[in-house]
Amino acid sequence: MDENSALIAQLLMEDEIEMRNRNGNGNANGSVSVKDQNDGGWKTVTYSKRNKKQQTSKVSNSSESSSSDHQRSNGVGGEKADVFRSIEKQSEDRRRRIEEERRKREEEESGERDGSKRHSDEDDGESEDGGHGGDGGGAGEEVKKVKKPKVKKPKVTVAEAAAKIDAGDLGAFLVDITASYETQQDILLMRFADYYGRAFSSVSSAQFPWLKIFKESPVSKLIDIPLAHISQDVYKASVDWLGRRSFEALGSFVLWSLDSIFADLASHQGVAKGSKKVVQRSPSKSLVAIFVVLAMTLRRKPDVLINLLPVISENPKYQGQDKLPVTGWMIAQASQGDLVVGLYTWIRVLFPMLSGKSSSNPQSRDLILQLVERILSSPKARTILLNGAVKKGERLVPPSALELLMRLTFPVPSARVKATERFEAVYPTLKEVALAGSSGSKAMKQVPQQILNIAVKATGEGSSELSREASDIFIWCLTQNPNSYKQWDMFYLDNLEASVTVLRRLSNEWKDHSVKHSSLDPVRETLKSFRQKNEKALAEEENAGDYASLKEADKYCKAILGRLSRGHGCIRSLFIVSAALAAGAVIISQKEYWDLQKLSAMLNLPHS
């Protein structure tokens, strides 16, 4: 038992020494022995603990083997083995716990170092003090990070930002940049945009959701966005300055502004079809400022938009259903400066959309109609548009637009929609503008012949309303240019149904139409040609299907020629009667003269 007690005491002492060495900063219980200087600097390291364990193991084994029989006889052998196993188990558990505590402490220290690196930028220069308390190097408490509260920017509306713009300050700025960049107009215009960009920089997209506004606002409200918030003094100073810039520089400036707006539009649309890459919204100048300067430019120099029509019409990036609200807004701004420019661009940019896929979209059709209704409802719009029926050598409403307008206004009954009534309301004015001009003038010489080709097609179609309207325009072409009769003679048989319709109306309404002709000779010659063609066509068997139409056309030709003959005879008789009356008046006056001579001789009156 004394031997066992000594072994137990020795093991407990070794564990205590090991714990102190691990928790403290002492040596690892190792000793270094130096053999000799001639060993070349090599040292032998010996560990006392390992040697003691080996010695203890040897002693225990020898003791156990020498006294095993005695221990068994005394009944203490199993108890000794159990005691050693429990002591060794406790020692191993204690060492494992110490090792786990050390590993956890190292992991915590490493995590704190990594965390401090990740959050160093976010803390804005804040330093964190962390340590491990205790003499034994135990885990320390983490210091809580103090974050600065985010300062919320005040919400600024468009009206509030616009109210801060001072007309005097703007005027001084414009004088300054004009003196600095007088010959560099592109730079001048960009500096002008920068001024408004700074003025509206505090307005967030939430305060000016332009895409939503443009989609939901009627044209009557859309036309004043965002200029409604600009004071009159600021607006006048700006447009007066813009009026002194060249058309070329303003054209480039308008395209730059339009590109900026469409870039923001693309960022709102997000991912395109078939693309996995998300389009990130890049910061840009204030969209409010871009809309302001663009509206000012288009109102002051609306002709810039006409100069840009080829680019806008041919470049795909300016086309598309999604860009329609912006395009309509631009035309509305130009119409504020010049109604003629507004209608000119509406006819060539927006109106053709109604003949394509957009015609089935009620929202697009409504926006397009709202805009032309706005233009035509302006004060003195009819007079202004009629006086400007020709713009830069082109018809304000060309023949192709008149044809589309007729078909939209006079569809077949089954194709009527709610918008048809709105087309019927604007049709008379637009038709009047399309046909406006001085009869016989050089500008009007080709117009009747161009319109006649369109009218003849529509006249021969099945819709009765469209046919009647087209025949009216057909007859108008005949009265405006005598050469239209020669043109009609050329396509007479190819458009027999349309020709019959026109001949019927001329015959039935001859009194009204005859007075509108400057000369009836072209009518007479054309009708005689028609009769010859009718006779020849009736004699050919291949025209048997057109027999009824040819007979009807020939009947109306005879009727009109008869009226022309009677009219010519009446005029001849009237001339003869007039001549006879004049001769009679001369004879009577001579007779009265001789009677007066006789009377004066009888009365001895002096001769005059």
Side-chain angles (χ1 to χ4, degrees):
M1 290 298 293
D2 294 336
E3 187 177 352
N4 292 338
S5 300
L7 290 172
I8 293 170
Q10 185 177 356
L11 289 173
L12 293 175
M13 184 178 295
E14 288 175 359
D15 290 337
E16 184 177 357
I17 293 171
E18 184 178 1
M19 288 180 65
R20 283 201 300 269
N21 290 336
R22 288 185 181 275
N23 294 332
N25 295 322
N27 295 330
N29 251 354
S31 60
V32 180
S33 62
V34 181
K35 290 184 179 180
D36 194 66
Q37 297 293 334
N38 297 329
D39 291 340
W42 290 96
K43 299 179 182 180
T44 302
V45 180
T46 60
Y47 292 94
S48 59
K49 181 179 178 182
R50 182 181 298 174
N51 295 335
K52 289 179 180 180
K53 283 185 178 181
Q54 291 176 355
Q55 293 174 2
T56 303
S57 177
K58 290 179 181 179
V59 171
S60 61
N61 289 337
S62 61
S63 174
E64 182 179 358
S65 60
S66 62
S67 59
S68 59
D69 294 337
H70 177 71
Q71 290 169 353
R72 286 193 191 95
S73 62
N74 292 333
V76 297
E79 181 181 355
K80 179 182 176 182
D82 293 337
V83 169
F84 280 109
R85 278 196 298 271
S86 63
I87 293 173
E88 289 175 356
K89 185 176 181 181
Q90 291 177 2
S91 178
E92 289 174 359
D93 292 340
R94 189 180 295 108
R95 285 194 297 270
R96 187 166 54 253
R97 286 195 301 270
I98 294 171
E99 187 66 19
E100 287 176 356
E101 288 178 1
R102 183 182 62 79
R103 187 168 54 252
K104 288 179 181 179
R105 187 166 59 252
E106 290 175 354
E107 289 175 356
E108 289 173 356
E109 290 174 355
S110 176
E112 289 175 0
R113 285 193 299 270
D114 294 341
S116 63
K117 289 179 181 179
R118 284 193 302 269
H119 298 290
S120 60
D121 294 337
E122 298 177 358
D123 291 338
D124 297 328
E126 290 183 4
S127 61
E128 55 176 344
D129 296 337
H132 300 285
D135 296 334
E141 296 181 357
E142 296 183 0
V143 178
K144 293 183 179 179
K145 302 168 186 176
V146 180
K147 293 184 179 180
K148 292 182 178 180
K150 293 183 179 179
V151 179
K152 293 184 178 180
K153 295 181 179 180
K155 294 180 180 180
V156 180
T157 64
V158 177
E160 292 171 346
K164 295 179 181 179
I165 302 176
D166 181 69
D169 179 71
L170 173 62
F173 173 80
L174 294 177
V175 170
D176 183 47
I177 64 172
T178 303
S180 302
Y181 307 101
E182 187 174 1
T183 60
Q184 298 171 296
Q185 296 199 44
D186 291 342
I187 298 178
L188 272 177
L189 291 167
M190 294 306 296
R191 293 296 306 275
F192 174 69
D194 287 339
Y195 182 90
Y196 279 97
R198 291 191 297 272
F200 291 101
S201 60
S202 58
V203 180
S204 64
S205 58
Q207 295 299 315
F208 185 66
W210 71 270
L211 191 56
K212 180 181 179 183
I213 294 173
F214 275 45
K215 286 183 178 180
E216 297 178 356
S217 301
V219 171
S220 58
K221 292 184 178 180
L222 187 64
I223 202 169
D224 293 324
I225 296 174
L227 286 185
H229 303 292
I230 303 296
S231 68
Q232 188 62 32
D233 292 340
V234 172
Y235 175 79
K236 187 177 185 305
S238 299
V239 296
D240 288 347
W241 183 84
L242 286 169
R244 296 189 288 272
R245 311 281 77 80
S246 68
F247 275 98
E248 183 180 359
L250 289 173
S252 300
F253 183 61
V254 168
L255 285 180
W256 171 82
S257 303
L258 195 56
D259 289 342
S260 301
I261 293 171
F262 285 158
D264 189 74
L265 174 64
S267 69
H268 279 87
Q269 292 173 340
V271 184
K273 287 186 178 180
S275 175
K276 295 182 179 179
K277 186 177 181 181
V278 178
V279 179
Q280 298 291 337
R281 295 186 61 182
S282 56
S284 60
K285 296 182 181 296
S286 170
L287 262 296
V288 184
I290 292 177
F291 278 109
V292 166
V293 297
L294 180 57
M296 289 178 174
T297 304
L298 293 175
R299 291 189 179 201
R300 181 62 182 85
K301 289 288 188 74
D303 283 343
V304 171
L305 191 57
I306 293 181
N307 297 339
L308 295 177
L309 281 184
V311 179
I312 296 175
S313 301
E314 296 173 6
N315 196 324
K317 73 176 181 179
Y318 300 118
Q319 301 171 5
Q321 197 72 18
D322 55 335
K323 301 176 180 65
L324 178 59
V326 177
T327 306
W329 176 85
M330 291 177 61
I331 294 175
Q333 301 306 317
S335 68
Q336 289 293 99
D338 189 342
L339 287 178
V340 174
V341 173
L343 184 60
Y344 184 96
T345 51
W346 180 87
I347 284 287
R348 286 157 178 79
V349 178
L350 298 184
F351 189 53
M353 293 183 180
L354 297 178
S355 63
K357 295 180 179 179
S358 302
S359 60
S360 60
N361 188 329
Q363 292 181 341
S364 301
R365 186 168 56 234
D366 176 63
L367 176 61
I368 294 171
L369 277 170
Q370 279 190 64
L371 189 53
V372 73
E373 289 167 349
R374 171 82 183 190
I375 293 173
L376 297 181
S377 64
S378 300
K380 300 181 180 180
R382 179 179 172 275
T383 303
I384 294 172
L385 296 175
L386 288 175
N387 291 336
V390 179
K391 181 74 174 178
K392 295 188 175 182
E394 295 184 41
R395 300 292 301 178
L396 192 55
V397 181
S400 57
L402 179 61
E403 179 184 15
L404 177 58
L405 185 63
M406 279 196 301
R407 297 184 182 279
L408 292 172
T409 309
F410 305 102
V412 294
S414 60
R416 289 184 65 89
V417 293
K418 291 182 179 180
T420 303
E421 294 181 0
R422 298 171 67 182
F423 281 114
E424 291 173 347
V426 301
Y427 177 79
T429 304
L430 294 178
K431 173 188 173 183
E432 194 175 5
V433 174
L435 304 180
S438 300
S439 178
S441 64
K442 185 177 179 180
M444 284 292 293
K445 189 173 182 180
Q446 299 297 326
V447 174
Q449 293 177 290
Q450 293 172 355
I451 296 177
L452 188 63
N453 291 326
I454 295 170
V456 67
K457 295 178 183 178
T459 302
E461 295 186 2
S463 174
S464 59
E465 292 184 357
L466 177 61
S467 178
R468 181 171 181 82
E469 179 62 26
S471 63
D472 276 342
I473 296 175
F474 193 113
I475 295 172
W476 175 87
C477 295
L478 297 176
T479 61
Q480 294 297 307
N481 189 348
N483 291 330
S484 298
Y485 278 100
K486 295 180 180 179
Q487 186 179 356
W488 185 14
D489 191 21
M490 294 175 62
F491 60 69
Y492 169 70
L493 290 177
D494 294 333
N495 298 273
L496 188 57
E497 293 298 327
S499 298
V500 170
T501 301
V502 174
L503 288 169
R504 184 189 302 116
R505 291 201 60 185
L506 285 173
S507 178
N508 296 337
E509 304 167 8
W510 179 248
K511 289 183 179 180
D512 298 330
H513 299 304
S514 61
V515 296
K516 298 177 182 178
H517 287 75
S518 59
S519 174
L520 295 176
D521 291 337
V523 183
R524 185 181 298 105
E525 293 174 4
T526 303
L527 293 176
K528 289 179 180 179
S529 175
F530 287 172
R531 292 210 63 191
Q532 293 175 359
K533 291 180 179 181
N534 293 339
E535 185 178 356
K536 184 178 179 180
L538 287 169
E540 297 176 358
E541 295 181 357
E542 60 183 13
N543 294 319
D546 297 330
Y547 180 83
S549 298
L550 288 168
K551 293 294 288 184
E552 187 177 5
D554 198 58
K555 180 182 70 173
Y556 294 130
C557 289
K558 286 181 183 179
I560 298 172
L561 285 171
R563 290 189 177 92
L564 287 171
S565 299
R566 287 195 298 272
H568 182 70
C570 291
I571 293 173
R572 186 175 180 181
S573 301
L574 181 61
F575 176 76
I576 294 171
V577 171
S578 300
L581 290 173
V586 171
I587 293 171
I588 293 171
S589 63
Q590 288 292 334
K591 185 178 180 181
E592 289 178 352
Y593 174 77
W594 289 110
D595 291 342
L596 289 172
Q597 288 291 330
K598 291 179 180 179
L599 179 62
S600 62
M602 291 173 62
L603 297 175
N604 294 321
L605 295 174
H607 295 284
S608 58

